[in-house]
């Protein structure tokens, strides 16, 4: 028998989804900015830079969701040892 999701579970899942999307956007934008403005690199966004930026965004999303899942389960600590 399965349990029905509560409104708190749905709200938590919505917050988790928004946080993952924000982490993806920040990671992707940061990688784009690196390729566009870092001195010494050609100031052209090519397909390699686009694909790399999307991969960086995906890794940022994965890392953020993993960190929040660890903190929610109570096994992680924030700012302490």
């Amino acid at each position: 028998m399965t349990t029905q999701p509560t409104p708190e579970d749905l709200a938590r899942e919505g917050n988790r989804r928004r946080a993952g999307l924000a982490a993806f956007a920040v990671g992707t934008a940061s990688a784009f900015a690196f390729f566009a403005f870092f001195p010494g690199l050609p100031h052209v966004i090519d397909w390699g830079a686009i694909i790399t930026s999307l991969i960086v965004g995906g890794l940022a999303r994965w890392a953020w969701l993993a960190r929040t899942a660890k903190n929610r389960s109570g096994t992680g600590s924030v700012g302490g040892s």
Side-chain angles (χ1 to χ4, degrees):
M1 182 176 220
T2 60
T3 59
Q4 296 296 323
T6 63
E8 292 84 19
D9 293 338
L10 295 175
R12 182 179 297 141
E13 185 63 30
N15 289 339
R16 185 174 180 263
R17 183 178 298 259
R18 280 190 293 280
L21 181 62
F24 178 80
V26 168
T28 302
S30 299
F32 271 137
F34 174 79
F35 284 115
F37 300 115
F38 192 73
L41 292 175
H43 299 291
V44 176
I45 300 294
D46 60 352
W47 282 108
I50 293 170
I51 291 171
T52 303
S53 297
L54 292 174
I55 290 170
V56 168
L59 287 173
R61 179 182 184 272
W62 171 77
W64 180 257
L65 293 178
R67 178 183 169 107
T68 57
K70 185 190 302 185
N71 287 340
R72 189 175 18 156
S73 68
T75 59
S77 63
V78 177
S81 54

